[in-house]
Amino acid sequence: MSRSSNTEEKQQKNPAQKYLKWKSGSSQWKYWDKQEEKEVLLAANTPFIVLDVLSTATGFNDRKGCGVWANEVRSLKLPLRLQDKDGEIMSGVWREIKDKVHYVKFASSVYAVINSASGYELVNFQLSGSALGSWIEFVDTLGGPRKLFGDVVVGVPEVKEGQTGSVRYNIPGYAVVKSELSDEAKSAATKADVELQSYLKSYFAASPEGKAAEEHNKDVASYEAPKPTPAPSAQFKNEEVPF
């Protein structure tokens, strides 16, 4: 609150307009349309401009019949807080919790811009399972994640088939489909990324780690070095020095 505002500052809302996951059965992306209250499919080969990539976890608890989600982090050295409809399940870095909750998978949270029928949109791809494995291989072939943030457009021109035991599934085959951006696309991507980074700044600041860092910085800023002890006015005699 402040003199000019009688409401507390709220954390910014995630600017992603769609949250996409890979639907193996139909070899397409899917997202939930809140207004229509139904699942909507998006073509696998929909091209996108990558803005940022974070880490999270996702899953489904069959016993409870509910989804499981987690916070997003930039580093796997930071804790993931697993939650479901009843609250927090577990918290810890991924290597510590991955074998303790069998129905949860690691996921990459890829923020990107697509050009849909309604214009440029900021969306989020949540990649897990085979969609994540293929993504990791793709990023490695590029030479690392930094290569994603140039003037490149990524897409899924090919859908591959995989099989584990008797279970068959489809895998998105990511590729760079264009190595330059139009001025309009550059402008849209930059505008979307400014909005995204503003949100992420507030998101991380509101996390327990962000709040702890803020308190630490306040302590550092308010720290005053002790004044030096004045030198003794008289010299010690040799026999008074204990060593």
Side-chain angles (χ1 to χ4, degrees), residues 229-243:
T229 304
S233 56
Q235 295 293 326
F236 280 107
K237 294 180 181 179
N238 288 338
E239 61 270 16
E240 293 178 339
V241 179
F243 52 85

Side-chain angles (χ1 to χ4, degrees), residues 181-230:
L181 299 178
S182 67
D183 290 341
E184 182 184 30
K186 284 184 181 180
S187 177
T190 299
K191 180 180 179 181
D193 192 47
V194 168
E195 183 180 10
L196 173 64
Q197 297 308 321
S198 176
Y199 158 73
L200 290 176
K201 182 178 179 180
S202 70
Y203 175 80
F204 290 129
S207 70
E209 296 75 34
K211 291 177 180 178
E214 182 181 7
E215 289 302 315
H216 172 73
N217 292 338
K218 287 180 180 178
D219 290 341
V220 171
S222 61
Y223 174 77
E224 293 184 8
K227 296 179 180 180
T229 304

Side-chain angles (χ1 to χ4, degrees), residues 47-100:
F48 55 94
I49 303 169
V50 178
L51 301 180
D52 209 341
V53 181
L54 305 176
S55 298
T56 186
T58 184
F60 190 85
N61 187 331
D62 290 324
R63 183 176 61 81
K64 285 188 175 183
C66 68
V68 178
W69 61 93
N71 57 308
E72 296 181 331
V73 296
R74 285 204 182 280
S75 170
L76 292 182
K77 294 180 181 179
L78 294 173
L80 290 171
R81 288 174 287 279
L82 303 180
Q83 300 180 69
D84 64 13
K85 63 179 183 178
D86 297 323
E88 185 171 304
I89 303 169
M90 184 179 297
S91 177
V93 296
W94 177 247
R95 62 181 173 79
E96 294 175 347
I97 64 175
K98 64 180 181 178
D99 296 325
K100 296 179 180 179

Side-chain angles (χ1 to χ4, degrees), residues 85-150:
K85 63 179 183 178
D86 297 323
E88 185 171 304
I89 303 169
M90 184 179 297
S91 177
V93 296
W94 177 247
R95 62 181 173 79
E96 294 175 347
I97 64 175
K98 64 180 181 178
D99 296 325
K100 296 179 180 179
V101 187
H102 63 87
Y103 49 82
V104 172
K105 297 179 180 179
F106 179 80
S108 278
S109 179
V110 179
Y111 287 93
V113 166
I114 64 172
N115 192 0
S116 66
S118 57
Y120 290 100
E121 291 183 284
L122 200 169
V123 301
N124 176 269
F125 292 87
Q126 192 170 91
L127 309 178
S128 62
S130 61
L132 174 61
S134 180
W135 174 259
I136 292 172
E137 291 177 4
F138 163 65
V139 174
D140 284 344
T141 62
L142 284 184
R146 289 182 180 275
K147 301 292 185 179
L148 292 167
F149 307 125

